[in-house]
Amino acid sequence: MATCLRLRRCQAPRLPPASPGRGLCPVPVARPAPGRASLRGYAGAPAGLPAALLRTDGFVGGRWLPASATFPVHDPASGASLGMVADCGASEARAAVRAAYEAFCSWRGVSAKERSSLLRKWYDLMIQNKDDLAKIITAESGKPLKEAQGEILYSALFLEWFSEEARRIYGDVICMPAKEKRALVLKQPVGVAAVITPWNFPSAMITRKVGAALAAGCTVVVKPAEDTPFSALALAELANQAGIPPGVYNVVPCSRKKAKEVGEALCTDLLVSKISFTGSTATGKMLLHHAANSVKRVSMELGGHAPFIVFDSANVDQAVAGAMASKFRNSGQTCVCSNRFLVQKGIHDSFVKKFAEAMKTYLHVGNGFEERTTQGPLINEKAVEKVEKQVSDAVSKGATVVTGGKRHQLGKNFFEPTLLSNVTQDMLCSHEETFGPLAPVIKFDTEEEAVAIANAADVGLAGYFYSQDPAQIWRVAEKLEVGMVGVNEGLISTVECPFGGVKQSGLGREGSKYGIDEYLELNMKRTIRLGVDKLQPTGQIGPATCFCTKRS
C-alpha cells in the first residue's frame, strides 16, 4: 500500500491486437462545418456573473454546439435559475469522442515544449479571470466566495504544474544480454480520455485530470456534474482563447436524467482509451463494469470516510483548528473531509468543549456571496436529508447534540453545523460518509482501539491524527489504511503530492509527478542493435556520452 504522508513541520520532521482507439489513427472522421455557434452559447448572465464566460452550449471540436434539449441550473442558496444548459445525450457524447480522437492523431505529435506552452497560457488566463471564475463556482455550487477563489488558484496550479511536467516525460534504455543490443522504453499517450467530474470542486477536479492528460499528449471529453456545468464550460472558453487546438478539450454537459446514458456511452466507446472519474464508490463500480468490456485504463477517486484521531499527547488547540479546517471546508462536502472524530478519553471533554466553542465563534451560515459567510448551502435537498437522517439516527441511539442538529432558518438547503458526542459505532454516521456539516465524536481508550476503528471502513481515502509523541506518529501513520495521512495537519491537498486512496476509495493517483503516468503507457520498442557509425555523438565518447538520433 502506497500512502502519501504529510506532516506539519513544527510538529515532526518531513519524512492483445490493437483495437480502434488504441493503435494507429483511422481515416479522420467528419467534422462539423466550420464557424462559430450562435450567440445562444452565452447565458443571460444573472447580476454580477461574467457574461463572457457563462456559456450554455456543449463544446465539441472547438465549436459551441447546442443540443436538442436544455436543462436548468440553479443557485443552491436561493433556488434561482442561473440559466438553461445544453442537455447532451449519447449521440453528442459519441460525436465529442470522435472529435477528440481525430484531434489526438495530431496532438500526440505536438512537441512537449509546445504542449507545455499552451497549458501555461491556459493557466495565465485562469489567473487573469480568477475573480469571475470564482463567482461562477459560488453561484452554481453555493461555496463561499473566499473558498471559491481558493479553488480557482488551486485549479490553475494544476495547469501550471503539468505544463512543467509535460517536458519531463522520460523513457528508459535497458541493457540486453547481448552486449551490442539495447531495448528502448518509451512513454506514450494512451489516447482519448473520458473525464467525469463531481460538483463539489467543479474547476479543480477538471484541471487535475485534464492538465495531466493534455501534458501527456492525450485529448479529453469532459462530462461535468449536472449541478455545476458552467465552470467546465468557462474553462472551455479559456482553453479556446489559450489556443488549445480544436478537439483537444471537449465538454458535454447533461442533466441528471441523461447522466447514465452519457456515462455509459463514454465508457463503452471503442475510441476511448482511458476513463478518469471522481465521485461515489457506487457510481465508480458501474463505470468500471462498462470500461471492463473493452479493457480501458481507469483512474477512480471515490468515496471516503476519513477518521480524525486526537491522542492524549496532542495539543488540543491545534487539533481543534485542524478539525475546523478539515471538517467544515465547503460545508463538509469534500471527499477528504473528516467524517469520524476519534478522541482519546484523557483529552475528550476538553476537545469537545473547545470544538463547540470554535464552531459557534467562527462558523457563519449564509449565502456564499456574503463576506461573513463560511458555511454555504448544501448542494441540494437530498444532501440535507442525508445529514438530517444521520443526526436523527444518532440521537435515537443515545448521541448528544452539543451544538446545531437541525435545518437552518435560512432555507431548505442550509443545515446548521452540528457536533455530536456520545457517538457509538452502530450509528449511521460512524460507517456512512456524510458529505455535510456533521462532526460526530467517538471516545476511545487505547491507540490500538483507535486504529482498529479507523481501519474498519471498506474505504480509505484520507485520514488525520494529532499527537506529539514521535514514536506514536510513525506507528499510527504506517498503520492507517488510507492513501493520504495528515499528521498534525488538517489540510493535505496540494498539487505537488499524489492524491488518491486505497481499498474501495479508488484506483490510481492524481496530481504530483505521478499523476501524468495515469495517461501514459509504456511501449518497448524492438531491440536496437548498436551501430556507432550510424549515431551522432554530441560529445567525445566517454563515461557519460549523449547520443542523438534523428526520428524518421
Side-chain angles (χ1 to χ4, degrees), residues 117-157:
S117 176
L118 289 169
L119 284 169
R120 178 70 196 203
K121 289 177 182 177
W122 196 3
Y123 160 81
D124 290 338
L125 286 169
M126 284 196 69
I127 296 301
Q128 292 171 23
N129 292 273
K130 62 182 187 297
D131 291 336
D132 286 341
L133 292 170
K135 290 175 182 177
I136 292 175
I137 288 179
T138 295
E140 63 182 353
S141 76
K143 182 178 296 188
L145 187 58
K146 289 182 180 178
E147 284 194 28
Q149 291 167 342
E151 179 183 343
I152 291 302
L153 293 176
Y154 179 57
S155 175
L157 285 173

Side-chain angles (χ1 to χ4, degrees), residues 263-288:
E264 184 174 347
L266 293 175
C267 290
T268 56
D269 197 308
L270 294 179
L271 297 180
V272 173
S273 298
K274 163 78 179 182
I275 304 293
S276 181
F277 169 73
T278 295
S280 71
T281 298
T283 302
K285 290 178 178 179
M286 291 174 56
L287 298 180
L288 278 169

Side-chain angles (χ1 to χ4, degrees), residues 497-509:
C497 295
F499 190 101
V502 299
K503 299 196 279 193
Q504 293 188 38
S505 281
L507 303 166
R509 293 296 182 268

Side-chain angles (χ1 to χ4, degrees), residues 54 64 85 100 138 155 157 159 180 230 262 309 346 469 514 533:
L54 208 64
W64 297 101
V85 175
T138 295
S155 175
L157 285 173
L159 297 182
E180 74 279 6
F230 285 123
V262 171
I309 308 173
D469 180 342
Y514 303 104
D533 59 319

Side-chain angles (χ1 to χ4, degrees), residues 387-428:
V387 180
E388 202 169 39
K389 179 181 178 181
Q390 288 192 359
V391 172
S392 176
D393 171 80
V395 171
S396 71
K397 295 176 181 176
T400 300
V401 177
V402 181
T403 185
K406 62 184 183 298
R407 296 186 185 225
H408 196 276
Q409 60 184 6
L410 284 178
K412 66 178 184 178
N413 287 342
F414 290 90
F415 200 90
E416 295 178 345
T418 300
L419 177 62
L420 300 179
S421 63
N422 299 319
V423 174
T424 55
Q425 294 182 65
D426 63 329
M427 298 175 183
L428 274 179

